[in-house]
Amino acid sequence: MTRTEMYRRLRAHSGPWDMIVVGGGATGVGVAIDAASRGYDVLLLEQHDFGKGTSSRSTKLVHGGVRYLEQGNVSLVMEALKERGLLLRNAPHLVRNLGFVVPNYDWWEAPFYGIGLKLYNLLAGKYGFGASRILSREETLERLPTIKSEGLRGGVIYFDGQFDDSRLLINLVATAFEQGATLLNYAAVSDLTKDAEGFVDGVRFRDLETGEDFEVHSQVVINATGPFADALRRKADPTVQPMIAPSQGIHLVFDRSFLAGEDAIMVPHTSDGRVMFAIPWHDHTVVGTTDTPIAEPGLEPAAMEQEIDFILQTSALYLAKTPTRADILSVFAGIRPLVRSGEAGNTAALSRDHTIRIENSGMITICGGKWTTYRHMAEDCVNQAATLARLPEKPCLTEHLNIHGFHPASEKFGRLWMYGSDAPLVEQIDDSQTLDSELPYTSAEVIWAVREEMARSVEDVLARRTRALFLNSRAALRAAPRVAHIMAAELKQDAGWETDQLENFRRTASNYIV
C-alpha cells in the first residue's frame, strides 16, 4: 500500500468513478470500505494525512455512550453497542474490553448508577462485554488503587471497549485498499465540477507533494470532511446555511502512576455536564474530555487554558495523587462535527446521531455520529449514494468483514500487539533501535510506516502511525531528528527535506506541550 500504487490506480482508471469520497477520517474511509467491498469503483481524497483531524483525537473508547442513555437516546445507544460488538469481532487486535469503575461517594450513587448500567448491559444483548455489578469500598480500592479514598463508599463497575483510533484508521485504509479502493493522502480538493444541469459530478484536486492538478468525475460525490463539511458544501452552493456546530474536546496525558490499576474511572457528572474519563492507554493515563463550542474548526486545534485547568481541577477530586501542569506529558485537542439543532448553545446537549443530507447540488454530505458507529454510518451513506447515482443495488458486506491486521490473540506479539497479523513482518525489519527512552517505539516501526502505511511526514509517523506525540510530546520532539533521517533515506529525500520536516513538526508539537 503505497502512494505510488494509488496513483497508478488513479491514472489507469478510465471514465467516471462510481463514487468519490472527500475526507480521510473514520467516516470517509468507512464509506470507501463499504462501497469497494460491494464492488463499486471508489476514489477517496484526503487533504492532509488519514486521521489528521477528529479521528486521531478521540477519547480512545469504542462504546455505546452511557451519557446518551441518560439523555433518553436509546436507539443511538443500542446501535453503538451493536457496533462495539462488531468492532471487537472484526478488529480484535485493536479493540479491547476494559473495566470502567464509577466511584461512589454518596449513599444514593451505587443503586442509582447500578440500575442505569444494568440497563446499558441489557441493551447490548448478545453484543455485551460483561455484566456490571456494585463494588464494595475494598473492591473499588483494589481495582483503583490510586482513587481518592476519603469518603469513598464503593463503586459500580461496567465494561466497555477501548481502542487505538489512528491505528484502527490506518488498518481501515489498508482494508479499503485490499477491497479495491484508491485512497490518496495529501490530495487537497480545490473545487467541485458540475454537469450541464448544474449538479456536482466530480472534483478538482492537487497532489500537495508534486503540485500536480487533477480533475476526476464520478456518479456521486460524498462529502465526509467532518468539521469542515460546511466549507465543501459552500463550494457546491455558496448560499447553503451551516449545518455543523463545532465543539472542541481536549485530553491530558500523564504517566501510568496516576491510574495504576487495569481499570478506568468514569465520572458521570462534571461541573460542565459532561462525563469525564481517566483511562489506562499505552501504559499512560489519559484524562478528558471537555466540551467547548468554537466558532470555526482548525486542522490543528489547540487546547485552551481554561480547558486544561478544568480537567486538572476535576481529576483532582478523584485521584489520590493530584495532577499538576508539570505532570502533563501531552495535551491533545479534537473537534466534534456536531450537527446543528435550532439555536442550541450547549454542544454537550446536541445529538451524536449521524446525518446524511442530499444537497440541492446533488452532493451527499454525511456528518455527526461517532467513531464507534462509523461502519453503520457508512452503510447508510453507501445505500443512499447508490440509489442517488442509480448504481446497481448490492448488499453491504462489512458486518462480517475482518479489518486488516485481524488477529484473535495479538497480545502474544508483546509490544507490537497493535499491528496484529502484521507484527511478525514489522519484527523482520532489522532495525530495533529505540526512538527515545521514554517511548515504546523503534526505528523498524518508522520504516514500516513509510513502506507499508503511506506515512509521508515526521508528523504522520510520530502522531498517527505511532502515538508518540500523543503520549509524550517532549520525547516525540527528541525522537524527531532520527525519524526524519530514517524517512529521508526511505523516501530518497535530501537534508533540506529533513530540515523542513523538523521545523514543521516542532510547530505542530508546540500545540501538545503545556
Side-chain angles (χ1 to χ4, degrees), residues 25-27 51-60 165 224-230 244-251 274 289-304 307 332-339 347 352 367-371 470 512:
T27 303
K52 163 70 174 179
T54 306
S55 296
S56 63
R57 303 163 185 270
S58 73
T59 310
K60 320 308 178 194
D165 47 14
T225 54
F228 307 101
D230 284 334
I244 301 296
S247 166
Q248 177 164 298
I250 78 157
H251 297 79
R274 281 198 62 77
T289 178
T290 56
D291 198 312
T292 309
I294 58 172
E296 290 291 334
L299 201 54
E300 189 56 65
M304 304 173 197
E307 292 180 295
F332 60 92
I335 310 296
R336 300 179 188 88
L338 303 178
V339 179
T347 56
R352 268 56 175 177
C367 55
K370 48 192 291 218
W371 233 122
F470 285 72
Y512 295 73

Side-chain angles (χ1 to χ4, degrees), residues 37 62 77 88 110 117 204 218 222 325 464:
S37 63
V62 177
V77 173
L88 178 64
L117 291 168
R204 297 187 184 96
S218 68
I222 297 169
R325 294 177 76 89
R464 289 172 293 277

Side-chain angles (χ1 to χ4, degrees), residues 12-224:
H13 191 275
S14 60
W17 298 77
D18 289 337
M19 299 180 192
I20 292 176
V21 182
V22 185
T27 303
V29 176
V31 168
I33 292 174
D34 187 295
S37 63
R38 297 192 201 197
Y40 297 130
D41 221 4
V42 187
L43 171 66
L44 179 144
L45 304 169
E46 162 56 41
Q47 64 170 327
H48 197 277
D49 183 36
F50 305 116
K52 163 70 174 179
T54 306
S55 296
S56 63
R57 303 163 185 270
S58 73
T59 310
K60 320 308 178 194
L61 300 181
V62 177
H63 63 145
V66 173
R67 66 185 301 269
Y68 311 134
L69 187 61
E70 185 183 15
Q71 292 172 354
N73 196 342
V74 174
S75 61
L76 175 62
V77 173
M78 290 186 71
E79 175 193 318
L81 287 171
K82 175 185 176 182
E83 294 301 321
R84 179 192 70 171
L86 293 178
L87 254 178
L88 178 64
R89 188 173 71 193
N90 295 333
H93 60 301
L94 284 169
V95 179
R96 300 292 178 89
N97 195 342
L98 182 66
F100 290 76
V101 176
V102 183
N104 303 153
Y105 292 90
D106 288 307
W107 66 269
W108 57 269
E109 290 180 308
F112 180 79
Y113 294 125
I115 291 169
L117 291 168
K118 289 286 185 189
L119 176 59
Y120 189 67
N121 285 343
L122 186 65
L123 293 175
K126 66 180 181 180
Y127 299 103
F129 273 39
S132 62
R133 63 185 180 90
I134 293 174
L135 302 176
S136 67
R137 184 178 189 275
E138 292 69 26
E139 288 175 311
T140 303
L141 287 170
E142 184 178 346
R143 285 187 170 272
L144 299 175
T146 54
I147 193 77
K148 186 164 283 187
S149 59
E150 184 180 349
L152 181 70
R153 291 173 175 266
V156 179
I157 188 169
Y158 72 100
F159 297 89
D160 234 328
Q162 182 187 41
F163 76 141
D164 185 317
D165 47 14
S166 71
R167 285 301 317 166
L168 177 58
L169 183 64
I170 295 305
N171 282 180
L172 290 176
V173 171
T175 306
F177 170 72
E178 290 161 358
Q179 294 297 321
T182 301
L183 309 94
L184 297 170
N185 51 357
Y186 298 99
V189 171
S190 57
D191 205 359
L192 299 167
T193 64
K194 295 184 178 180
D195 63 18
E197 296 178 326
F199 292 109
V200 170
D201 71 345
V203 304
R204 297 187 184 96
F205 74 93
R206 172 167 291 186
D207 177 348
L208 296 182
E209 289 194 357
T210 66
E212 185 176 0
D213 292 314
F214 296 84
E215 182 173 312
V216 286
H217 297 274
S218 68
Q219 305 297 337
V220 62
V221 173
I222 297 169
N223 175 8

Side-chain angles (χ1 to χ4, degrees), residues 437-452:
S437 61
E438 294 186 35
L439 293 173
Y441 306 114
T442 66
S443 302
E445 289 167 88
V446 180
I447 295 169
W448 175 263
V450 176
R451 292 179 184 175
E452 304 291 341

Side-chain angles (χ1 to χ4, degrees), residues 475-494:
L477 275 171
R478 291 194 299 269
R482 174 156 181 77
V483 172
H485 189 66
I486 295 169
M487 294 187 72
E490 287 291 318
L491 296 171
K492 297 180 172 53
Q493 299 286 355
D494 59 18

